[in-house]
Amino acid sequence: MRALLLWLLLAQAELGSSATTPTTPLSTGSPGGVRQPETTGPGKRTMLSTPCGHRETPARIVGGLEAQLGSWPWQGSLRRWGSHVCGASLLNHRWALTAAHCFEGSSSTFPWSIQFGELSSVTYLWNLRAYRNRYQIEKIVQNPNFLGSSHYDLAMLKLSSSVTYRKHIQPVCVLSSFFEFQNRTDCWVTGWGNIQENESLVSTYNLQEVQISIINTSVCNHMFEQPDFLKTIFGDLLCAGAVEGGRDACFGDSGGPLVCEVSSVWYQIGVVSWGMGCGRPNRPGIYTNVSDHFWWIQRVIADGTPGTELSSLLQLLLLALPWGPLCLQLS
């Protein structure tokens, strides 16, 4: 009996350690499941989940256009007491990603929910589909290094029930490397925020999309140089927008995804964090670089998966067994 129990313990430890070792990506909808490395592109890169990043619908943030339903199926509306507050993105069946600063002054999960698969941020009573696609937040995990500053502005959200993937609800891909997205001019940011610095979204309240460029960090710092601006863009921050202005995220877009396409697959490379006004010349938007936090995101998801703790059956065996000295015989 003890030999059997010892074998079970060793097998459990083996499973637990493999579930948390950051070497290969997690499978969609089952963070503790089979993981496969992604090796296309420049060098090796690790993907959080597969399949992901697909949309069936082809393609007003500042300077943007109104999106079509299903154009960005990972886009979520983070809501407090039913009203839109920030953007979010779906990573798998149970987890979403947003900005940590969206929760400043609000630590309880009770008033928070995320709505997926809807074009409008306003939900009318007769739209039963929107209520069906709204998920309560079970757990808010802010990055532990976020202290209200401009860095580490990420939060992971565990949903109280599993999201059902549909035509208009799909997860986005996340990679461990930012290399191939540097200096891209064809990335997109989406959200329900203001369409101008002092102009709210029009009455249909439909999702807006705008194409923007990834701006080199040294160029970005040069553009932000001025005596009364003391912040430096470095570390996990990245710049995106238009040098001439007019295309940008704005108030209400925080937490939303910045995505780029590679071979018809969409990858989230940034989370809307902050900026100086909206759409101003030489003032691009500032985003949290998702790949810099890839392993933290993976650890947060893996912490709650089966295989990282003793199973209920094994716990019962441990309680039922009369324990004494346990010796291992080596042959």
Side-chain angles (χ1 to χ4, degrees), residues 23 30 58 82 142 147 259:
T23 55
S30 180
Q142 289 181 309
L147 302 174
V259 296

Side-chain angles (χ1 to χ4, degrees), residues 173-222:
C173 295
V174 173
L175 286 176
S176 61
S177 171
F178 176 68
F179 180 84
E180 64 195 285
F181 303 109
Q182 298 179 74
N183 303 315
R184 287 278 297 263
T185 60
D186 56 349
C187 298
W188 292 79
V189 62
T190 50
W192 287 277
N194 285 11
I195 56 174
Q196 296 291 339
E197 193 166 317
N198 296 303
E199 183 181 346
S200 299
L201 191 59
V202 292
S203 58
T204 53
Y205 304 104
N206 285 346
L207 183 68
Q208 305 291 297
E209 60 182 24
V210 65
Q211 188 173 354
I212 57 177
S213 301
I214 308 303
I215 300 173
N216 180 277
T217 302
S218 59
V219 173
C220 184
N221 275 307
H222 178 72

Side-chain angles (χ1 to χ4, degrees), residues 4-323:
L4 173 62
L5 181 57
L6 178 61
W7 180 86
L8 287 171
L9 284 169
L10 292 174
Q12 188 75 20
E14 182 86 15
L15 289 172
S17 62
S18 64
T20 57
T21 303
T23 55
T24 49
L26 301 170
S27 63
T28 299
S30 180
V34 177
R35 298 182 258 175
Q36 298 180 354
E38 180 72 24
T39 56
T40 58
K44 289 188 177 180
R45 57 182 186 171
T46 304
M47 192 182 298
L48 183 69
S49 59
T50 56
C52 58
H54 298 284
R55 61 180 192 175
E56 296 185 28
T57 305
R60 224 170 312 250
I61 288 187
V62 178
L65 301 170
E66 190 170 292
Q68 298 180 54
L69 180 63
S71 295
W72 313 104
W74 41 83
Q75 175 78 49
S77 168
L78 179 61
R79 312 172 79 82
R80 190 169 188 263
W81 301 116
S83 297
H84 174 79
V85 174
C86 284
S89 54
L90 185 64
L91 298 183
N92 64 24
H93 288 286
R94 289 295 299 273
W95 288 92
L97 182 66
T98 189
H101 78 258
C102 294
F103 299 97
E104 288 181 307
S106 177
S107 58
S108 171
T109 60
F110 181 73
W112 293 97
S113 62
I114 301 183
Q115 182 172 289
F116 294 106
E118 293 298 315
L119 189 60
S120 176
S121 63
V122 174
T123 303
Y124 299 99
L125 292 175
W126 55 85
N127 186 0
L128 299 180
R129 182 188 63 189
Y131 289 99
R132 188 177 70 244
N133 292 334
R134 190 175 294 182
Y135 298 82
Q136 291 300 124
I137 304 298
E138 178 182 306
K139 187 177 183 181
I140 301 170
V141 185
Q142 289 181 309
N143 190 292
N145 294 312
F146 176 72
L147 302 174
S149 66
S150 57
H151 293 270
Y152 301 97
D153 191 8
L154 282 184
M156 291 284 289
L157 308 176
K158 186 175 184 180
L159 309 178
S160 59
S161 58
S162 180
V163 174
T164 301
Y165 295 161
R166 300 184 178 93
K167 179 180 178 181
H168 301 147
I169 304 177
Q170 295 290 327
V172 69
C173 295
V174 173
L175 286 176
S176 61
S177 171
F178 176 68
F179 180 84
E180 64 195 285
F181 303 109
Q182 298 179 74
N183 303 315
R184 287 278 297 263
T185 60
D186 56 349
C187 298
W188 292 79
V189 62
T190 50
W192 287 277
N194 285 11
I195 56 174
Q196 296 291 339
E197 193 166 317
N198 296 303
E199 183 181 346
S200 299
L201 191 59
V202 292
S203 58
T204 53
Y205 304 104
N206 285 346
L207 183 68
Q208 305 291 297
E209 60 182 24
V210 65
Q211 188 173 354
I212 57 177
S213 301
I214 308 303
I215 300 173
N216 180 277
T217 302
S218 59
V219 173
C220 184
N221 275 307
H222 178 72
M223 287 192 290
F224 273 99
E225 270 185 350
Q226 58 185 52
D228 59 340
F229 186 76
L230 303 178
K231 291 184 179 180
T232 303
I233 311 304
F234 70 97
D236 69 336
L237 303 181
L238 64 87
C239 290
V243 174
E244 70 278 10
R247 289 179 286 137
D248 196 5
C250 201
F251 312 114
D253 293 321
S254 290
L258 168 64
V259 296
C260 304
E261 182 186 16
V262 178
S263 302
S264 300
V265 177
W266 289 88
Y267 300 91
Q268 182 172 357
I269 64 168
V271 170
V272 179
S273 185
W274 58 276
M276 292 186 65
C278 303
R280 299 180 186 180
N282 297 315
R283 297 293 181 269
I286 308 300
Y287 298 76
T288 302
N289 189 326
V290 175
S291 65
D292 280 4
H293 300 281
F294 179 88
W295 301 118
W296 174 76
I297 292 171
Q298 189 183 53
R299 282 198 307 272
V300 170
I301 294 175
D303 279 348
T305 61
T308 59
E309 295 180 1
L310 294 176
S311 67
S312 299
L313 177 60
L314 187 54
Q315 289 180 30
L316 289 174
L317 284 172
L318 291 173
L319 290 173
L321 186 69
W323 281 96

